[in-house]
Amino acid sequence: MPARLFVDEPLASASPEFTLPAAAARHVQVLRLQPGSPLLLFDGSGLQWQAEVLAMRGRSEVQVRLLGSERPARELAQAVTLAVVMPANDRMDGLVEKATELGVARIQPLMSERSVLRLAGERAEKKVAHWRGVAIAACEQSGRCVLPEIAPVQSLGAWLQGLGPQEAQPPQRRWLLSPTAARPIAERAGVAGGDVLVLSGPEGGLSPAEEAAARAQGFEALLLGPRILRADTAPLAVLGWLSLQELSAQP
């Protein structure tokens, strides 16, 4: 299997022969590829290009040739956004990685009343950039050609206020993961709807006031099962469930 590399520039408008950006060139050097070695390149747009290494100059310059493009069918049919109150102890890294592998379209990092991890300013910007790098690596590994968006960190309250009325938005199901919800998520199997927005709380859960604010914005509280899942496990369980629902619906 050829190495898959993310190129942070539009490949559709690139010359057939061009020099890789520094980050991708470093990967080629680390992998010890040689002229003539095949590559798969993607830019996050959904397309994947077959390519080959043409020349390597010094320790930082790699020239490649694009051979052709394709659009692999590796995305979920419904766009899933995970709005997650950030878990502590670097668990967010694992959440971003696994959510990308499972097909998430967008991740919205949030802070709530019971948040342990709180980010603002330059520190928040650096974390978002770091998580984007985690998502890129997960796309390279998993074969995805669409890079999920990692949104800027927000407070839960500000984010909910910015959503606007559900009826004014494109068709979308809004789910709130709650250990005290009466309706199991399995009851949503086969229910028609548009894309999915999943809100998941921190280690201590959302406060009653926060759950009420989410419900006021059209979120339906759902229960994942009899066990209490970690803050970084619950949203991944929903993504896995949605993926299986799509697979089982295929002829």
Side-chain angles (χ1 to χ4, degrees):
M1 178 78 177
R4 294 187 79 250
L5 299 178
F6 173 73
V7 177
D8 199 6
E9 61 182 54
L11 289 173
S13 58
S15 300
E17 297 180 5
F18 71 102
T19 300
L20 287 178
R26 281 196 297 272
H27 280 291
V28 171
Q29 297 283 354
V30 169
L31 293 170
R32 298 183 178 180
L33 301 181
Q34 299 299 320
S37 295
L39 286 171
L40 292 174
L41 304 178
F42 68 101
D43 59 5
S45 66
L47 291 173
Q48 175 175 272
W49 278 261
Q50 296 84 29
E52 66 175 353
V53 177
L54 281 182
M56 303 174 70
R57 300 182 179 90
R59 298 176 61 86
S60 59
E61 186 173 326
V62 177
Q63 189 177 25
V64 299
R65 176 190 289 125
L66 297 178
L67 302 175
S69 64
E70 60 182 345
R71 188 179 295 274
R74 294 176 183 147
E75 299 303 311
L76 294 177
Q78 54 200 330
V80 181
T81 296
L82 294 183
V84 292
V85 179
M86 300 174 292
N89 301 323
D90 293 325
R91 291 183 181 272
M92 189 70 177
D93 286 19
L95 193 159
V96 170
E97 178 185 73
K98 301 309 178 189
T100 300
E101 292 176 16
L102 289 166
V104 73
R106 188 172 188 267
I107 298 175
Q108 172 63 66
L110 297 170
M111 295 178 292
S112 69
E113 292 180 21
R114 297 170 179 170
S115 287
V116 175
L117 178 61
R118 295 186 176 275
L119 301 172
E122 184 179 355
R123 185 167 173 240
E125 293 175 0
K126 287 182 176 179
K127 274 293 189 182
V128 169
H130 168 72
W131 292 327
R132 185 173 186 268
V134 172
I136 287 172
C139 281
E140 290 177 336
Q141 179 273 324
S142 65
R144 287 189 67 185
C145 296
V146 176
L147 187 65
E149 176 189 355
I150 312 296
V153 177
Q154 292 193 62
S155 70
L156 174 59
W159 176 74
L160 285 172
Q161 289 179 1
L163 282 180
Q166 188 175 17
E167 57 271 14
Q169 307 299 321
Q172 181 187 69
R173 289 170 287 173
R174 295 182 178 181
W175 295 347
L176 166 65
L177 305 186
S178 172
T180 60
R183 173 166 289 181
I185 194 171
E187 292 185 5
R188 312 312 292 160
V191 175
D195 297 334
V196 183
L197 174 56
V198 180
L199 173 58
S200 184
E203 287 82 350
L206 298 178
S207 70
E210 289 171 331
E211 287 210 7
R215 289 173 187 267
Q217 288 287 11
F219 282 85
E220 178 185 11
L222 297 176
L223 180 68
L224 291 181
R227 294 172 295 281
I228 304 298
L229 302 182
R230 287 185 179 272
D232 54 320
T233 304
L236 297 179
V238 175
L239 264 176
W241 182 79
L242 287 169
S243 298
L244 289 173
Q245 290 292 313
E246 286 196 6
L247 285 173
S248 62
Q250 292 178 359

